[in-house]
Amino acid sequence: MRNFAQILFSLKMKEVTYEGMTFEPYITAETIKNRIAEIGRDIVRDCGNTKPLFICVLNGAFPFASDLFREVEDIDAEITFVRLKSYDGMGSTGKVKEMMGLKENIEGRNVIVVEDIVDTGRTIAGLLETLRERNPAALKVATLLYKPDALEFDIKPDYVGFEIPKKFIIGFGLDLNGLARNLKDIYVLKE
Ligand code: IMP
Ligand code: MG
């Protein structure tokens, strides 16, 4: 049995540093895994035999999509991947993102967009608008993380792994300038 000081020490040891910033453990790999299994069960229950098409938003959502997709093995489902190309728009809306890579015809299909995180909601709002033009039968969003206090757009994710405060996190697909996506756990910027 470890004492409190030893536990604190081992947690401290797990701190990670990127670009001079220190991050501390926030959500463990095991907690993430269990939560994704629950979301998978919800999706199996809701989708039945509609043969949903999962659309994974690269790069960040790939570990979540990989785990989630294998949690729905009891139903027929397909997965595909899109990438969003950002432009720095001149208008007040800021960045405009164009969807690239979707070859599938989604008309009449049950579509589930898989995202790593919904922050202001700009990315997902834009993506949903683009996808809606292609007339899917249903369009839902599964996001591993959701910062409700940061939301600025009129969207509501259908499946949420974890609601978190407005803090910067990394790991399990989430990056800091391209790094830290390969961390098994999720870490939060230390204040
Ligand atoms: P939104 O368009 O404001 O919802 O932001 C979504 C995108 O911002 C995500 O797909 C991430 O790439 C990035 N992002 C937002 N919050 C975080 C964070 O805490 N850590 C890492 N990336 C984040
Ligand atoms: Mg992302």
Side-chain angles (χ1 to χ4, degrees), residues 42-61:
D42 290 346
I43 291 177
V44 166
R45 180 200 63 209
D46 296 347
C47 287
N49 58 5
T50 62
K51 210 187 278 183
L53 173 66
F54 287 59
I55 299 182
C56 169
V57 185
L58 295 173
N59 294 329

Side-chain angles (χ1 to χ4, degrees), residues 116-123 147 167-169 174-175:
D116 50 358
I117 189 162
V118 175
D119 186 27
T120 65
R122 172 178 286 122
T123 307
K147 298 181 188 171
K167 291 185 173 178
F168 189 75
I169 56 170
L174 291 146
D175 72 306

Side-chain angles (χ1 to χ4, degrees), residues 73-142:
E73 63 174 359
D74 293 343
I75 57 172
D76 285 340
E78 291 177 55
I79 188 164
T80 190
F81 302 84
V82 297
R83 189 180 269 278
L84 303 178
K85 191 177 173 195
S86 313
Y87 296 97
D88 283 318
M90 303 294 285
S92 59
T93 48
K95 274 187 182 167
V96 180
K97 291 188 175 178
E98 184 200 335
M99 182 184 72
M100 301 189 311
L102 187 67
K103 304 278 190 295
E104 289 76 5
N105 177 10
I106 64 166
E107 190 172 339
R109 294 206 60 179
N110 187 3
V111 171
I112 300 175
V113 178
V114 184
E115 252 293 21
D116 50 358
I117 189 162
V118 175
D119 186 27
T120 65
R122 172 178 286 122
T123 307
I124 204 73
L127 183 57
L128 291 178
E129 207 180 296
T130 305
L131 292 172
R132 222 171 267 126
E133 287 166 7
R134 300 182 185 208
N135 299 316
L139 187 54
K140 288 186 175 171
V141 174

Side-chain angles (χ1 to χ4, degrees), residues 13-27:
M13 290 301 287
K14 281 207 73 185
E15 284 180 350
V16 292
T17 303
Y18 290 91
E19 300 188 353
M21 284 178 271
T22 305
F23 293 81
E24 56 191 359
Y26 191 52
I27 308 174

Side-chain angles (χ1 to χ4, degrees), residues 26 117-120 146-152 163-169 188-189 191:
Y26 191 52
I117 189 162
V118 175
D119 186 27
T120 65
Y146 177 37
K147 298 181 188 171
D149 298 341
L151 198 67
E152 293 173 17
E163 285 195 7
I164 60 167
K166 253 170 116 170
K167 291 185 173 178
F168 189 75
I169 56 170
V188 65
L189 182 62
E191 286 169 1

